[in-house]
PDB file of all heavy atoms in Angstrom:
ATOM      1  N   THR J   1       3.023  -6.353  -7.643  1.00 98.00           N
ATOM      2  CA  THR J   1       4.064  -7.271  -8.101  1.00 98.00           C
ATOM      3  C   THR J   1       5.319  -6.493  -8.481  1.00 98.00           C
ATOM      4  O   THR J   1       6.446  -6.927  -8.215  1.00 98.00           O
ATOM      5  CB  THR J   1       3.564  -8.101  -9.291  1.00 98.00           C
ATOM      6  OG1 THR J   1       2.437  -8.887  -8.864  1.00 98.00           O
ATOM      7  CG2 THR J   1       4.647  -9.032  -9.809  1.00 98.00           C
ATOM      8  N   GLU J   2       5.145  -5.318  -9.075  1.00 98.00           N
ATOM      9  CA  GLU J   2       6.291  -4.467  -9.384  1.00 98.00           C
ATOM     10  C   GLU J   2       6.934  -3.955  -8.094  1.00 98.00           C
ATOM     11  O   GLU J   2       8.171  -3.900  -7.995  1.00 98.00           O
ATOM     12  CB  GLU J   2       5.865  -3.298 -10.272  1.00 98.00           C
ATOM     13  CG  GLU J   2       6.966  -2.300 -10.593  1.00 98.00           C
ATOM     14  CD  GLU J   2       8.147  -2.900 -11.355  1.00 98.00           C
ATOM     15  OE1 GLU J   2       7.992  -3.988 -11.953  1.00 98.00           O
ATOM     16  OE2 GLU J   2       9.233  -2.269 -11.349  1.00 98.00           O
ATOM     17  N   LEU J   3       6.124  -3.594  -7.105  1.00 98.00           N
ATOM     18  CA  LEU J   3       6.682  -3.211  -5.807  1.00 98.00           C
ATOM     19  C   LEU J   3       7.489  -4.358  -5.203  1.00 98.00           C
ATOM     20  O   LEU J   3       8.547  -4.152  -4.606  1.00 98.00           O
ATOM     21  CB  LEU J   3       5.568  -2.806  -4.844  1.00 98.00           C
ATOM     22  CG  LEU J   3       4.885  -1.448  -5.056  1.00 98.00           C
ATOM     23  CD1 LEU J   3       3.777  -1.269  -4.021  1.00 98.00           C
ATOM     24  CD2 LEU J   3       5.879  -0.302  -4.954  1.00 98.00           C
ATOM     25  N   HIS J   4       6.981  -5.563  -5.361  1.00 98.00           N
ATOM     26  CA  HIS J   4       7.708  -6.739  -4.846  1.00 98.00           C
ATOM     27  C   HIS J   4       9.024  -6.915  -5.590  1.00 98.00           C
ATOM     28  O   HIS J   4      10.068  -7.204  -4.977  1.00 98.00           O
ATOM     29  CB  HIS J   4       6.830  -7.980  -4.996  1.00 98.00           C
ATOM     30  CG  HIS J   4       7.530  -9.252  -4.658  1.00 98.00           C
ATOM     31  ND1 HIS J   4       7.999  -9.538  -3.386  1.00 98.00           N
ATOM     32  CD2 HIS J   4       7.867 -10.333  -5.423  1.00 98.00           C
ATOM     33  CE1 HIS J   4       8.568 -10.725  -3.382  1.00 98.00           C
ATOM     34  NE2 HIS J   4       8.516 -11.220  -4.600  1.00 98.00           N
ATOM     35  N   ARG J   5       9.000  -6.726  -6.909  1.00 98.00           N
ATOM     36  CA  ARG J   5      10.224  -6.863  -7.700  1.00 98.00           C
ATOM     37  C   ARG J   5      11.287  -5.871  -7.243  1.00 98.00           C
ATOM     38  O   ARG J   5      12.476  -6.173  -7.272  1.00 98.00           O
ATOM     39  CB  ARG J   5       9.899  -6.644  -9.185  1.00 98.00           C
ATOM     40  CG  ARG J   5      11.041  -6.986 -10.126  1.00 98.00           C
ATOM     41  CD  ARG J   5      10.708  -6.625 -11.554  1.00 98.00           C
ATOM     42  NE  ARG J   5      10.688  -5.187 -11.761  1.00 98.00           N
ATOM     43  CZ  ARG J   5      11.769  -4.444 -11.942  1.00 98.00           C
ATOM     44  NH1 ARG J   5      12.974  -4.989 -11.922  1.00 98.00           N
ATOM     45  NH2 ARG J   5      11.665  -3.138 -12.152  1.00 98.00           N
ATOM     46  N   ARG J   6      10.840  -4.733  -6.751  1.00 98.00           N
ATOM     47  CA  ARG J   6      11.772  -3.697  -6.288  1.00 98.00           C
ATOM     48  C   ARG J   6      12.110  -3.830  -4.798  1.00 98.00           C
ATOM     49  O   ARG J   6      12.786  -2.973  -4.236  1.00 98.00           O
ATOM     50  CB  ARG J   6      11.181  -2.313  -6.558  1.00 98.00           C
ATOM     51  CG  ARG J   6      10.948  -2.044  -8.037  1.00 98.00           C
ATOM     52  CD  ARG J   6      10.683  -0.584  -8.288  1.00 98.00           C
ATOM     53  NE  ARG J   6      10.295  -0.324  -9.676  1.00 98.00           N
ATOM     54  CZ  ARG J   6      10.287   0.876 -10.230  1.00 98.00           C
ATOM     55  NH1 ARG J   6      10.664   1.933  -9.510  1.00 98.00           N
ATOM     56  NH2 ARG J   6       9.899   1.050 -11.470  1.00 98.00           N
ATOM     57  N   GLY J   7      11.613  -4.878  -4.159  1.00 97.00           N
ATOM     58  CA  GLY J   7      11.939  -5.119  -2.758  1.00 97.00           C
ATOM     59  C   GLY J   7      11.144  -4.292  -1.778  1.00 97.00           C
ATOM     60  O   GLY J   7      11.532  -4.170  -0.604  1.00 97.00           O
ATOM     61  N   ILE J   8      10.012  -3.732  -2.212  1.00 98.00           N
ATOM     62  CA  ILE J   8       9.185  -2.877  -1.359  1.00 98.00           C
ATOM     63  C   ILE J   8       7.982  -3.637  -0.811  1.00 98.00           C
ATOM     64  O   ILE J   8       7.605  -3.468   0.352  1.00 98.00           O
ATOM     65  CB  ILE J   8       8.723  -1.623  -2.130  1.00 98.00           C
ATOM     66  CG1 ILE J   8       9.937  -0.821  -2.617  1.00 98.00           C
ATOM     67  CG2 ILE J   8       7.799  -0.752  -1.280  1.00 98.00           C
ATOM     68  CD1 ILE J   8       9.596   0.267  -3.617  1.00 98.00           C
ATOM     69  N   ALA J   9       7.357  -4.457  -1.621  1.00 98.00           N
ATOM     70  CA  ALA J   9       6.232  -5.287  -1.183  1.00 98.00           C
ATOM     71  C   ALA J   9       6.725  -6.701  -0.888  1.00 98.00           C
ATOM     72  O   ALA J   9       7.644  -7.201  -1.549  1.00 98.00           O
ATOM     73  CB  ALA J   9       5.135  -5.319  -2.248  1.00 98.00           C
ATOM     74  N   HIS J  10       6.111  -7.321   0.087  1.00 98.00           N
ATOM     75  CA  HIS J  10       6.543  -8.647   0.528  1.00 98.00           C
ATOM     76  C   HIS J  10       5.339  -9.547   0.763  1.00 98.00           C
ATOM     77  O   HIS J  10       4.247  -9.075   1.093  1.00 98.00           O
ATOM     78  CB  HIS J  10       7.347  -8.550   1.824  1.00 98.00           C
ATOM     79  CG  HIS J  10       8.570  -7.693   1.701  1.00 98.00           C
ATOM     80  ND1 HIS J  10       9.760  -8.182   1.203  1.00 98.00           N
ATOM     81  CD2 HIS J  10       8.773  -6.377   1.986  1.00 98.00           C
ATOM     82  CE1 HIS J  10      10.652  -7.203   1.204  1.00 98.00           C
ATOM     83  NE2 HIS J  10      10.074  -6.099   1.671  1.00 98.00           N
ATOM     84  N   SER J  11       5.576 -10.830   0.591  1.00 98.00           N
ATOM     85  CA  SER J  11       4.560 -11.822   0.946  1.00 98.00           C
ATOM     86  C   SER J  11       5.048 -12.626   2.144  1.00 98.00           C
ATOM     87  O   SER J  11       6.249 -12.827   2.331  1.00 98.00           O
ATOM     88  CB  SER J  11       4.276 -12.763  -0.229  1.00 98.00           C
ATOM     89  OG  SER J  11       5.441 -13.496  -0.591  1.00 98.00           O
ATOM     90  N   ILE J  12       4.100 -13.046   2.964  1.00 98.00           N
ATOM     91  CA  ILE J  12       4.396 -13.954   4.072  1.00 98.00           C
ATOM     92  C   ILE J  12       3.537 -15.189   3.844  1.00 98.00           C
ATOM     93  O   ILE J  12       2.324 -15.077   3.646  1.00 98.00           O
ATOM     94  CB  ILE J  12       4.085 -13.313   5.441  1.00 98.00           C
ATOM     95  CG1 ILE J  12       4.908 -12.026   5.625  1.00 98.00           C
ATOM     96  CG2 ILE J  12       4.397 -14.293   6.570  1.00 98.00           C
ATOM     97  CD1 ILE J  12       4.174 -10.771   5.252  1.00 98.00           C
ATOM     98  N   GLU J  13       4.184 -16.344   3.834  1.00 98.00           N
ATOM     99  CA  GLU J  13       3.488 -17.593   3.573  1.00 98.00           C
ATOM    100  C   GLU J  13       3.488 -18.464   4.820  1.00 98.00           C
ATOM    101  O   GLU J  13       4.466 -18.477   5.574  1.00 98.00           O
ATOM    102  CB  GLU J  13       4.170 -18.375   2.436  1.00 98.00           C
ATOM    103  CG  GLU J  13       4.348 -17.585   1.150  1.00 98.00           C
ATOM    104  CD  GLU J  13       5.656 -16.795   1.091  1.00 98.00           C
ATOM    105  OE1 GLU J  13       6.566 -17.120   1.881  1.00 98.00           O
ATOM    106  OE2 GLU J  13       5.767 -15.864   0.264  1.00 98.00           O
ATOM    107  N   ILE J  14       2.409 -19.203   5.021  1.00 98.00           N
ATOM    108  CA  ILE J  14       2.373 -20.183   6.100  1.00 98.00           C
ATOM    109  C   ILE J  14       2.027 -21.538   5.490  1.00 98.00           C
ATOM    110  O   ILE J  14       1.107 -21.657   4.684  1.00 98.00           O
ATOM    111  CB  ILE J  14       1.402 -19.772   7.227  1.00 98.00           C
ATOM    112  CG1 ILE J  14       1.456 -20.777   8.363  1.00 98.00           C
ATOM    113  CG2 ILE J  14      -0.010 -19.536   6.730  1.00 98.00           C
ATOM    114  CD1 ILE J  14       0.879 -20.271   9.667  1.00 98.00           C
ATOM    115  N   TRP J  15       2.819 -22.544   5.857  1.00 98.00           N
ATOM    116  CA  TRP J  15       2.741 -23.874   5.255  1.00 98.00           C
ATOM    117  C   TRP J  15       2.406 -24.909   6.323  1.00 98.00           C
ATOM    118  O   TRP J  15       2.829 -24.787   7.472  1.00 98.00           O
ATOM    119  CB  TRP J  15       4.075 -24.240   4.606  1.00 98.00           C
ATOM    120  CG  TRP J  15       4.652 -23.174   3.724  1.00 98.00           C
ATOM    121  CD1 TRP J  15       5.427 -22.112   4.108  1.00 98.00           C
ATOM    122  CD2 TRP J  15       4.500 -23.058   2.306  1.00 98.00           C
ATOM    123  NE1 TRP J  15       5.771 -21.342   3.028  1.00 98.00           N
ATOM    124  CE2 TRP J  15       5.219 -21.893   1.903  1.00 98.00           C
ATOM    125  CE3 TRP J  15       3.849 -23.812   1.339  1.00 98.00           C
ATOM    126  CZ2 TRP J  15       5.285 -21.486   0.587  1.00 98.00           C
ATOM    127  CZ3 TRP J  15       3.916 -23.397   0.021  1.00 98.00           C
ATOM    128  CH2 TRP J  15       4.627 -22.260  -0.356  1.00 98.00           C
ATOM    129  N   ASN J  16       1.673 -25.945   5.914  1.00 98.00           N
ATOM    130  CA  ASN J  16       1.397 -27.021   6.859  1.00 98.00           C
ATOM    131  C   ASN J  16       2.513 -28.064   6.804  1.00 98.00           C
ATOM    132  O   ASN J  16       3.520 -27.892   6.109  1.00 98.00           O
ATOM    133  CB  ASN J  16       0.015 -27.634   6.600  1.00 98.00           C
ATOM    134  CG  ASN J  16      -0.087 -28.296   5.225  1.00 98.00           C
ATOM    135  OD1 ASN J  16       0.917 -28.672   4.606  1.00 98.00           O
ATOM    136  ND2 ASN J  16      -1.310 -28.462   4.752  1.00 98.00           N
ATOM    137  N   ARG J  17       2.323 -29.171   7.539  1.00 97.00           N
ATOM    138  CA  ARG J  17       3.378 -30.184   7.628  1.00 97.00           C
ATOM    139  C   ARG J  17       3.641 -30.886   6.303  1.00 97.00           C
ATOM    140  O   ARG J  17       4.705 -31.489   6.109  1.00 97.00           O
ATOM    141  CB  ARG J  17       2.989 -31.220   8.688  1.00 97.00           C
ATOM    142  CG  ARG J  17       3.096 -30.683  10.116  1.00 97.00           C
ATOM    143  CD  ARG J  17       2.491 -31.649  11.101  1.00 97.00           C
ATOM    144  NE  ARG J  17       2.673 -31.201  12.474  1.00 97.00           N
ATOM    145  CZ  ARG J  17       1.985 -31.664  13.498  1.00 97.00           C
ATOM    146  NH1 ARG J  17       1.045 -32.592  13.310  1.00 97.00           N
ATOM    147  NH2 ARG J  17       2.205 -31.203  14.724  1.00 97.00           N
ATOM    148  N   ASN J  18       2.677 -30.804   5.386  1.00 98.00           N
ATOM    149  CA  ASN J  18       2.867 -31.406   4.064  1.00 98.00           C
ATOM    150  C   ASN J  18       3.430 -30.406   3.056  1.00 98.00           C
ATOM    151  O   ASN J  18       3.437 -30.674   1.852  1.00 98.00           O
ATOM    152  CB  ASN J  18       1.531 -31.955   3.549  1.00 98.00           C
ATOM    153  CG  ASN J  18       0.992 -33.077   4.410  1.00 98.00           C
ATOM    154  OD1 ASN J  18       1.752 -33.927   4.887  1.00 98.00           O
ATOM    155  ND2 ASN J  18      -0.318 -33.091   4.616  1.00 98.00           N
ATOM    156  N   ASN J  19       3.901 -29.268   3.569  1.00 97.00           N
ATOM    157  CA  ASN J  19       4.420 -28.193   2.725  1.00 97.00           C
ATOM    158  C   ASN J  19       3.385 -27.675   1.736  1.00 97.00           C
ATOM    159  O   ASN J  19       3.719 -27.258   0.618  1.00 97.00           O
ATOM    160  CB  ASN J  19       5.688 -28.642   1.984  1.00 97.00           C
ATOM    161  CG  ASN J  19       6.882 -28.730   2.912  1.00 97.00           C
ATOM    162  OD1 ASN J  19       7.054 -27.884   3.795  1.00 97.00           O
ATOM    163  ND2 ASN J  19       7.696 -29.756   2.730  1.00 97.00           N
ATOM    164  N   GLU J  20       2.131 -27.681   2.189  1.00 98.00           N
ATOM    165  CA  GLU J  20       1.043 -27.098   1.414  1.00 98.00           C
ATOM    166  C   GLU J  20       0.710 -25.727   1.993  1.00 98.00           C
ATOM    167  O   GLU J  20       0.759 -25.524   3.207  1.00 98.00           O
ATOM    168  CB  GLU J  20      -0.196 -27.998   1.476  1.00 98.00           C
ATOM    169  CG  GLU J  20       0.022 -29.388   0.906  1.00 98.00           C
ATOM    170  CD  GLU J  20      -1.080 -30.354   1.297  1.00 98.00           C
ATOM    171  OE1 GLU J  20      -1.688 -30.160   2.381  1.00 98.00           O
ATOM    172  OE2 GLU J  20      -1.309 -31.304   0.535  1.00 98.00           O
ATOM    173  N   LEU J  21       0.365 -24.806   1.117  1.00 98.00           N
ATOM    174  CA  LEU J  21       0.068 -23.449   1.557  1.00 98.00           C
ATOM    175  C   LEU J  21      -1.199 -23.451   2.412  1.00 98.00           C
ATOM    176  O   LEU J  21      -2.258 -23.926   1.989  1.00 98.00           O
ATOM    177  CB  LEU J  21      -0.112 -22.542   0.342  1.00 98.00           C
ATOM    178  CG  LEU J  21       0.029 -21.039   0.561  1.00 98.00           C
ATOM    179  CD1 LEU J  21       1.408 -20.685   1.091  1.00 98.00           C
ATOM    180  CD2 LEU J  21      -0.242 -20.306  -0.754  1.00 98.00           C
ATOM    181  N   ALA J  22      -1.087 -22.921   3.636  1.00 98.00           N
ATOM    182  CA  ALA J  22      -2.221 -22.885   4.559  1.00 98.00           C
ATOM    183  C   ALA J  22      -2.776 -21.479   4.742  1.00 98.00           C
ATOM    184  O   ALA J  22      -3.842 -21.300   5.331  1.00 98.00           O
ATOM    185  CB  ALA J  22      -1.796 -23.445   5.915  1.00 98.00           C
ATOM    186  N   GLY J  23      -2.073 -20.479   4.249  1.00 98.00           N
ATOM    187  CA  GLY J  23      -2.524 -19.100   4.380  1.00 98.00           C
ATOM    188  C   GLY J  23      -1.422 -18.154   3.945  1.00 98.00           C
ATOM    189  O   GLY J  23      -0.314 -18.576   3.593  1.00 98.00           O
ATOM    190  N   GLY J  24      -1.719 -16.858   3.977  1.00 98.00           N
ATOM    191  CA  GLY J  24      -0.702 -15.892   3.578  1.00 98.00           C
ATOM    192  C   GLY J  24      -1.158 -14.463   3.718  1.00 98.00           C
ATOM    193  O   GLY J  24      -2.330 -14.165   3.998  1.00 98.00           O
ATOM    194  N   MET J  25      -0.221 -13.571   3.535  1.00 98.00           N
ATOM    195  CA  MET J  25      -0.447 -12.118   3.625  1.00 98.00           C
ATOM    196  C   MET J  25       0.534 -11.432   2.691  1.00 98.00           C
ATOM    197  O   MET J  25       1.606 -11.967   2.400  1.00 98.00           O
ATOM    198  CB  MET J  25      -0.217 -11.633   5.059  1.00 98.00           C
ATOM    199  CG  MET J  25      -0.172 -10.119   5.221  1.00 98.00           C
ATOM    200  SD  MET J  25       0.498  -9.589   6.817  1.00 98.00           S
ATOM    201  CE  MET J  25      -0.969  -9.706   7.824  1.00 98.00           C
ATOM    202  N   TYR J  26       0.154 -10.237   2.208  1.00 98.00           N
ATOM    203  CA  TYR J  26       1.136  -9.393   1.532  1.00 98.00           C
ATOM    204  C   TYR J  26       1.000  -7.971   2.058  1.00 98.00           C
ATOM    205  O   TYR J  26      -0.032  -7.581   2.614  1.00 98.00           O
ATOM    206  CB  TYR J  26       0.986  -9.445   0.007  1.00 98.00           C
ATOM    207  CG  TYR J  26      -0.146  -8.613  -0.546  1.00 98.00           C
ATOM    208  CD1 TYR J  26       0.072  -7.327  -1.029  1.00 98.00           C
ATOM    209  CD2 TYR J  26      -1.449  -9.125  -0.606  1.00 98.00           C
ATOM    210  CE1 TYR J  26      -0.966  -6.569  -1.545  1.00 98.00           C
ATOM    211  CE2 TYR J  26      -2.492  -8.379  -1.115  1.00 98.00           C
ATOM    212  CZ  TYR J  26      -2.247  -7.105  -1.583  1.00 98.00           C
ATOM    213  OH  TYR J  26      -3.279  -6.348  -2.084  1.00 98.00           O
ATOM    214  N   GLY J  27       2.074  -7.217   1.924  1.00 98.00           N
ATOM    215  CA  GLY J  27       2.062  -5.844   2.404  1.00 98.00           C
ATOM    216  C   GLY J  27       3.288  -5.098   1.914  1.00 98.00           C
ATOM    217  O   GLY J  27       4.098  -5.620   1.139  1.00 98.00           O
ATOM    218  N   VAL J  28       3.426  -3.879   2.394  1.00 98.00           N
ATOM    219  CA  VAL J  28       4.472  -2.954   1.952  1.00 98.00           C
ATOM    220  C   VAL J  28       5.342  -2.585   3.141  1.00 98.00           C
ATOM    221  O   VAL J  28       4.839  -2.307   4.231  1.00 98.00           O
ATOM    222  CB  VAL J  28       3.839  -1.694   1.336  1.00 98.00           C
ATOM    223  CG1 VAL J  28       4.881  -0.615   1.081  1.00 98.00           C
ATOM    224  CG2 VAL J  28       3.095  -2.041   0.050  1.00 98.00           C
ATOM    225  N   ALA J  29       6.656  -2.591   2.945  1.00 98.00           N
ATOM    226  CA  ALA J  29       7.607  -2.222   3.999  1.00 98.00           C
ATOM    227  C   ALA J  29       8.355  -0.955   3.591  1.00 98.00           C
ATOM    228  O   ALA J  29       8.990  -0.924   2.531  1.00 98.00           O
ATOM    229  CB  ALA J  29       8.592  -3.356   4.252  1.00 98.00           C
ATOM    230  N   LEU J  30       8.244   0.076   4.432  1.00 98.00           N
ATOM    231  CA  LEU J  30       8.988   1.321   4.224  1.00 98.00           C
ATOM    232  C   LEU J  30       9.567   1.746   5.562  1.00 98.00           C
ATOM    233  O   LEU J  30       8.825   1.898   6.543  1.00 98.00           O
ATOM    234  CB  LEU J  30       8.069   2.422   3.684  1.00 98.00           C
ATOM    235  CG  LEU J  30       7.530   2.263   2.262  1.00 98.00           C
ATOM    236  CD1 LEU J  30       6.500   3.350   1.968  1.00 98.00           C
ATOM    237  CD2 LEU J  30       8.658   2.313   1.244  1.00 98.00           C
ATOM    238  N   GLY J  31      10.869   1.953   5.594  1.00 98.00           N
ATOM    239  CA  GLY J  31      11.503   2.322   6.847  1.00 98.00           C
ATOM    240  C   GLY J  31      11.251   1.264   7.904  1.00 98.00           C
ATOM    241  O   GLY J  31      11.431   0.061   7.661  1.00 98.00           O
ATOM    242  N   ARG J  32      10.777   1.712   9.074  1.00 98.00           N
ATOM    243  CA  ARG J  32      10.458   0.782  10.155  1.00 98.00           C
ATOM    244  C   ARG J  32       8.950   0.597  10.294  1.00 98.00           C
ATOM    245  O   ARG J  32       8.442   0.355  11.391  1.00 98.00           O
ATOM    246  CB  ARG J  32      11.075   1.276  11.473  1.00 98.00           C
ATOM    247  CG  ARG J  32      12.609   1.194  11.482  1.00 98.00           C
ATOM    248  CD  ARG J  32      13.210   1.704  12.778  1.00 98.00           C
ATOM    249  NE  ARG J  32      14.670   1.622  12.741  1.00 98.00           N
ATOM    250  CZ  ARG J  32      15.374   0.651  13.310  1.00 98.00           C
ATOM    251  NH1 ARG J  32      14.766  -0.329  13.956  1.00 98.00           N
ATOM    252  NH2 ARG J  32      16.698   0.644  13.236  1.00 98.00           N
ATOM    253  N   CYS J  33       8.249   0.687   9.172  1.00 98.00           N
ATOM    254  CA  CYS J  33       6.798   0.479   9.146  1.00 98.00           C
ATOM    255  C   CYS J  33       6.453  -0.620   8.156  1.00 98.00           C
ATOM    256  O   CYS J  33       7.019  -0.667   7.056  1.00 98.00           O
ATOM    257  CB  CYS J  33       6.073   1.754   8.726  1.00 98.00           C
ATOM    258  SG  CYS J  33       6.358   3.169   9.802  1.00 98.00           S
ATOM    259  N   PHE J  34       5.532  -1.487   8.544  1.00 98.00           N
ATOM    260  CA  PHE J  34       5.000  -2.484   7.629  1.00 98.00           C
ATOM    261  C   PHE J  34       3.512  -2.232   7.479  1.00 98.00           C
ATOM    262  O   PHE J  34       2.788  -2.114   8.474  1.00 98.00           O
ATOM    263  CB  PHE J  34       5.251  -3.905   8.130  1.00 98.00           C
ATOM    264  CG  PHE J  34       4.704  -4.962   7.204  1.00 98.00           C
ATOM    265  CD1 PHE J  34       5.326  -5.226   5.999  1.00 98.00           C
ATOM    266  CD2 PHE J  34       3.558  -5.676   7.536  1.00 98.00           C
ATOM    267  CE1 PHE J  34       4.816  -6.185   5.120  1.00 98.00           C
ATOM    268  CE2 PHE J  34       3.048  -6.639   6.678  1.00 98.00           C
ATOM    269  CZ  PHE J  34       3.675  -6.892   5.468  1.00 98.00           C
ATOM    270  N   PHE J  35       3.056  -2.160   6.245  1.00 98.00           N
ATOM    271  CA  PHE J  35       1.659  -1.878   5.948  1.00 98.00           C
ATOM    272  C   PHE J  35       0.999  -3.155   5.433  1.00 98.00           C
ATOM    273  O   PHE J  35       1.212  -3.555   4.287  1.00 98.00           O
ATOM    274  CB  PHE J  35       1.555  -0.774   4.887  1.00 98.00           C
ATOM    275  CG  PHE J  35       2.298   0.485   5.249  1.00 98.00           C
ATOM    276  CD1 PHE J  35       3.671   0.607   4.991  1.00 98.00           C
ATOM    277  CD2 PHE J  35       1.652   1.548   5.846  1.00 98.00           C
ATOM    278  CE1 PHE J  35       4.365   1.759   5.310  1.00 98.00           C
ATOM    279  CE2 PHE J  35       2.340   2.723   6.172  1.00 98.00           C
ATOM    280  CZ  PHE J  35       3.692   2.826   5.912  1.00 98.00           C
ATOM    281  N   GLY J  36       0.235  -3.812   6.283  1.00 97.00           N
ATOM    282  CA  GLY J  36      -0.437  -5.031   5.872  1.00 97.00           C
ATOM    283  C   GLY J  36      -1.584  -4.718   4.933  1.00 97.00           C
ATOM    284  O   GLY J  36      -2.418  -3.854   5.225  1.00 97.00           O
ATOM    285  N   GLU J  37      -1.632  -5.405   3.800  1.00 96.00           N
ATOM    286  CA  GLU J  37      -2.655  -5.124   2.799  1.00 96.00           C
ATOM    287  C   GLU J  37      -3.800  -6.132   2.831  1.00 96.00           C
ATOM    288  O   GLU J  37      -4.958  -5.756   2.836  1.00 96.00           O
ATOM    289  CB  GLU J  37      -2.031  -5.076   1.404  1.00 96.00           C
ATOM    290  CG  GLU J  37      -1.495  -3.723   1.030  1.00 96.00           C
ATOM    291  CD  GLU J  37      -2.601  -2.678   0.964  1.00 96.00           C
ATOM    292  OE1 GLU J  37      -3.642  -2.922   0.342  1.00 96.00           O
ATOM    293  OE2 GLU J  37      -2.419  -1.613   1.572  1.00 96.00           O
ATOM    294  N   SER J  38      -3.504  -7.398   2.818  1.00 95.00           N
ATOM    295  CA  SER J  38      -4.571  -8.401   2.798  1.00 95.00           C
ATOM    296  C   SER J  38      -4.011  -9.728   3.289  1.00 95.00           C
ATOM    297  O   SER J  38      -2.811  -9.994   3.172  1.00 95.00           O
ATOM    298  CB  SER J  38      -5.138  -8.558   1.380  1.00 95.00           C
ATOM    299  OG  SER J  38      -6.267  -9.413   1.383  1.00 95.00           O
ATOM    300  N   MET J  39      -4.926 -10.565   3.822  1.00 95.00           N
ATOM    301  CA  MET J  39      -4.534 -11.849   4.391  1.00 95.00           C
ATOM    302  C   MET J  39      -5.618 -12.878   4.080  1.00 95.00           C
ATOM    303  O   MET J  39      -6.787 -12.526   3.934  1.00 95.00           O
ATOM    304  CB  MET J  39      -4.353 -11.714   5.912  1.00 95.00           C
ATOM    305  CG  MET J  39      -4.127 -13.018   6.653  1.00 95.00           C
ATOM    306  SD  MET J  39      -4.145 -12.791   8.452  1.00 95.00           S
ATOM    307  CE  MET J  39      -2.543 -12.044   8.676  1.00 95.00           C
ATOM    308  N   PHE J  40      -5.231 -14.119   3.968  1.00 95.00           N
ATOM    309  CA  PHE J  40      -6.207 -15.198   3.821  1.00 95.00           C
ATOM    310  C   PHE J  40      -5.742 -16.399   4.633  1.00 95.00           C
ATOM    311  O   PHE J  40      -4.564 -16.515   4.993  1.00 95.00           O
ATOM    312  CB  PHE J  40      -6.390 -15.594   2.351  1.00 95.00           C
ATOM    313  CG  PHE J  40      -5.214 -16.339   1.773  1.00 95.00           C
ATOM    314  CD1 PHE J  40      -5.171 -17.726   1.768  1.00 95.00           C
ATOM    315  CD2 PHE J  40      -4.134 -15.639   1.246  1.00 95.00           C
ATOM    316  CE1 PHE J  40      -4.083 -18.405   1.253  1.00 95.00           C
ATOM    317  CE2 PHE J  40      -3.043 -16.314   0.729  1.00 95.00           C
ATOM    318  CZ  PHE J  40      -3.016 -17.707   0.731  1.00 95.00           C
TER     319      PHE J  40
END
């Protein structure tokens, strides 16, 4: 969460037609690399 506050970690959200959360992922971005950490 601190990495996210500093703009280093990011979340990706996927929503259904009712704008309900259908899944997601978080990871770390450095340079031109993205490090996927976990997904559901």
Side-chain angles (χ1 to χ4, degrees):
T1 298
E2 177 61 19
L3 286 178
H4 173 64
R5 190 185 71 80
R6 298 193 187 195
I8 301 168
H10 301 276
S11 62
I12 301 96
E13 306 89 18
I14 183 163
W15 312 85
N16 63 22
R17 288 171 176 163
N18 296 321
N19 287 321
E20 299 165 332
L21 200 60
M25 169 194 276
Y26 78 96
V28 170
L30 291 173
R32 291 179 181 260
C33 300
F34 180 73
F35 306 84
E37 273 297 312
S38 187
M39 172 188 284
F40 72 94

